Amino acid sequence: MQAITQDKNQLLKNENAAVEREIFKQLQHQFSLHYPHLFADNLAAKTVIVIPSLTLDQEILSKITGHFYYEERLLCLLMLLRMPHTHIIYLTSVPVDPAIIDYYLHLLPGISGYDAKQRLTLLSCFDASSKSLTEKILVRPRLLQRIKNSIPQGAAAHITCFNVTELERTLSVKLHIPLYGCNPDLNFLGTKSGSRKIFKACGVDLPDGFEDVKNKEEVIDCLIKLKQRYPNLKKAVIKMNDGFSGEGNAVFSYSDDLPNENLRSWIEQHIENNLSIVASDLTSATFFKKFQAMEGIVEIFLDAATIHSPSVQCRINPLGKIEVLSTHDQLLGGASGQVFQGATFPADPAYAIDVANAGMKVAEVLKKYGVLGRFGIDFMSIKEADHWKHYAIEINLRKGGTTHPYLMLQFLTDGNYDAATGTFFTHDNRQRFYFATDNLQNECYKGLTPHDLIYIAMNSGLHYNGFTEEGVMFHLISALSQYGKLGIVCIAGTPQRARDFYDKTVEVLNTECNR
């Protein structure tokens, strides 16, 4: 009897999922019909519902310091209020300090702070638990109704998210509002295994390795095969399919005196001791348990005297148009150089155009699958003699660590990136660069409130200047007091001047904290 009940429940669940998919499909079709008018006309009445939920593996996410406040990274979207008939509904797990909101709104060109606030609705779950923001919203029917009630009559609305999973699709259907993002049924394309398959399909170089690896035993098989192919190989990297920011990765080191015979036996004996797991406090047993649940890849660890990590950010709009939005050089850290820590923009002119072209090839294949919205492609680039060799590493079908800095630059300067030349120009034809990080951290910063930070920046001349279109913008401000951590985007007319802004900011904060 219990088995029959379970079968009925599963059947009902499947039917509900099918209905949800069909409704979502209809909503997305309507969005594509309205898109040309809404996004071409800055005076069109529209509402953007921002759901900055990091709907990712919570155990891996917990290894990122202050991740709870990463919901604030998309506050850059408040700059959309510069369009006089645009409304923003921004949701967070806990309320955002009003000083932080004012900090963003005072930069709006041609719009008073008072007018912008009339078109901004801030809603909170008042829930600091480890669940994702989207999960919290879905179990609060009154909050769902408040979202609906906050949409002005006659204004077309859409949802924008950090990443889109089945939960975000459910939210879209419950609100009956389309979502500017990729259908979660296509998320396999953005896994580590899916990425490798896409790279092969479009003829982009990638590190030698294996995808669709299912468990520890298959990982060992792959490590053996790689060492047999490359006798001088020193390291291999193991990646969970749905890891992010390097936190789902581990690096296996081969010994210099590795015996040619009994290779399997040696690797089986040393798989744990020779494994460097990127996520702190994640044991090898837990790592392989999560790996088996997610599956993943094993590939050679790229190493060279000169190696960079550029990324390309693209967008496919509802009309199928592909845009290369930006290129960056990512700053990677951690013991094995696997953790994303920041970026410089644009990417090195020696190869910015080349990686943009490679990104376009990947985007063309993704378009055929029906991918929608922003996504990024990461590369590892090795300098060989007088040229660069680029290896595609992964696709992120979501916003990422380079999304909010670029959006902030674009909104503040009303400029655009030219992928054909690898340069960014403001509305008045001034070239701009930036240095950005989510990981400016120091123990002595703990206890600084948002008010303290803004006061220090104001008195030290660090604020972004709308006239010169240079200066410093902070984000993750709420993480400062508890974790001594914040994010920063330093915008300037040259790469060196952008780095000088960063160095000055660090110097000022250190001085203020040590008084």
Side-chain angles (χ1 to χ4, degrees), residues 2-67:
Q2 183 178 0
I4 294 174
T5 302
Q6 289 176 343
D7 289 342
K8 287 183 177 179
N9 289 339
Q10 185 61 47
L11 181 61
L12 181 61
K13 182 178 180 180
N14 291 342
E15 290 177 350
N16 290 340
V19 171
E20 179 177 287
R21 280 181 168 85
E22 182 57 32
I23 295 173
F24 183 74
K25 180 180 178 181
Q26 294 172 8
L27 289 170
Q28 296 303 91
H29 177 66
Q30 293 171 11
F31 181 53
S32 67
L33 296 177
H34 294 146
Y35 176 84
H37 167 66
L38 291 175
F39 284 76
D41 184 1
N42 286 343
L43 299 179
K46 51 185 173 284
T47 298
V48 182
I49 303 169
V50 184
I51 311 290
S53 177
L54 276 69
T55 314
L56 303 163
D57 184 273
Q58 293 300 306
E59 186 170 4
I60 295 178
L61 187 61
S62 68
K63 308 303 179 184
I64 300 176
T65 303
H67 71 90

Side-chain angles (χ1 to χ4, degrees), residues 270-501:
H270 293 79
I271 185 69
E272 294 189 7
N273 290 338
N274 287 34
L275 194 68
S276 175
I277 299 170
V278 173
S280 60
D281 303 324
L282 203 64
T283 66
S284 60
T286 302
F287 177 86
F288 281 113
K289 181 179 179 181
K290 296 191 77 64
F291 185 94
Q292 184 164 336
M294 289 187 187
E295 300 185 4
I297 68 172
V298 180
E299 58 189 20
I300 60 174
F301 183 91
L302 295 173
D303 200 5
T306 304
I307 186 166
H308 290 180
S309 180
S311 69
V312 179
Q313 193 175 163
C314 301
R315 178 174 59 197
I316 302 174
N317 73 22
L319 303 180
K321 180 183 176 182
I322 299 173
E323 298 174 89
V324 173
L325 299 175
S326 66
T327 61
H328 291 80
D329 275 316
Q330 299 180 101
L331 308 176
L332 303 180
S336 55
Q338 298 281 303
V339 181
F340 176 79
Q341 294 188 328
T344 57
F345 168 85
D348 192 316
Y351 51 70
I353 297 172
D354 291 338
V355 294
N357 290 337
M360 180 63 78
K361 289 181 180 179
V362 174
E364 290 284 1
V365 175
L366 293 175
K367 175 184 172 180
K368 294 177 182 177
Y369 281 93
V371 167
L372 172 68
R374 290 177 181 265
F375 55 90
I377 306 116
D378 295 341
F379 295 83
M380 295 298 286
S381 300
I382 294 174
K383 192 169 187 180
E384 299 177 346
D386 60 348
H387 72 280
W388 290 84
K389 175 85 169 173
H390 307 291
Y391 297 89
I393 300 298
E394 67 180 4
I395 300 167
N396 294 303
L397 285 182
R398 52 173 171 78
K399 295 178 176 65
T402 57
T403 303
H404 51 284
Y406 178 74
L407 283 172
M408 184 57 69
L409 172 69
Q410 189 178 40
F411 290 153
L412 288 173
T413 65
D414 196 22
N416 279 293
Y417 180 68
D418 182 2
T421 61
T423 51
F424 180 96
F425 289 98
T426 67
H427 68 100
D428 56 355
N429 210 37
R430 289 191 279 188
Q431 197 169 355
R432 284 297 175 265
F433 305 80
Y434 63 68
F435 176 89
T437 179
D438 291 337
N439 292 280
L440 175 54
Q441 188 170 12
N442 193 314
E443 283 292 308
C444 78
Y445 300 164
K446 289 183 177 180
L448 286 176
T449 67
H451 300 264
D452 294 330
L453 176 66
I454 294 168
Y455 177 82
I456 291 170
M458 181 178 63
N459 282 276
S460 304
L462 294 175
H463 269 315
Y464 177 81
N465 185 315
F467 178 72
T468 63
E469 294 183 312
E470 290 188 325
V472 176
M473 280 296 300
F474 296 103
H475 56 275
L476 292 179
I477 297 174
S478 292
L480 186 59
S481 184
Q482 182 177 353
Y483 297 102
K485 177 179 178 178
L486 76 160
I488 183 173
V489 184
C490 303
I491 300 170
T494 67
Q496 184 56 53
R497 184 162 167 77
R499 186 61 194 236
D500 289 344
F501 271 122

Side-chain angles (χ1 to χ4, degrees), residues 170-219:
T170 297
L171 179 61
S172 170
V173 171
K174 282 185 175 293
L175 292 173
H176 208 73
I177 295 171
L179 197 157
Y180 198 168
C182 190
N183 189 323
D185 287 345
L186 299 177
N187 280 351
F188 70 93
L189 298 170
T191 64
K192 303 301 186 292
S193 292
S195 296
R196 287 182 59 86
K197 293 174 184 177
I198 294 295
F199 298 149
K200 291 176 181 178
C202 63
V204 173
D205 290 327
L206 70 162
D208 195 5
F210 307 88
E211 56 270 11
D212 296 329
V213 183
K214 294 179 173 56
N215 50 44
K216 183 178 179 180
E217 290 70 29
E218 291 194 6
V219 167

Side-chain angles (χ1 to χ4, degrees), residues 48-55 70-72 74-75 77 88-93 123 125 132-138 143-144 147 158-164 167-169 171-172 175 177-179 399:
V48 182
I49 303 169
V50 184
I51 311 290
S53 177
L54 276 69
T55 314
Y70 276 47
E71 292 175 4
E72 292 186 12
L74 291 187
L75 284 172
L77 292 176
I88 299 288
I89 302 173
Y90 199 103
L91 287 101
T92 51
S93 291
L123 298 175
C125 297
S132 72
L133 171 61
T134 306
E135 289 180 272
K136 297 170 186 176
I137 296 169
L138 285 172
L143 180 57
L144 289 169
I147 296 173
H158 72 273
I159 300 169
T160 185
C161 303
F162 176 77
N163 66 313
V164 182
L167 291 172
E168 282 71 32
R169 180 170 61 195
L171 179 61
S172 170
L175 292 173
I177 295 171
L179 197 157
K399 295 178 176 65

Side-chain angles (χ1 to χ4, degrees), residues 218-237:
E218 291 194 6
V219 167
I220 293 173
D221 290 340
C222 295
L223 292 173
I224 293 169
K225 291 175 182 177
L226 288 178
K227 187 61 175 176
Q228 289 172 336
R229 289 181 188 176
Y230 305 94
N232 295 324
L233 185 65
K234 300 296 184 182
K235 297 177 181 179
V237 61

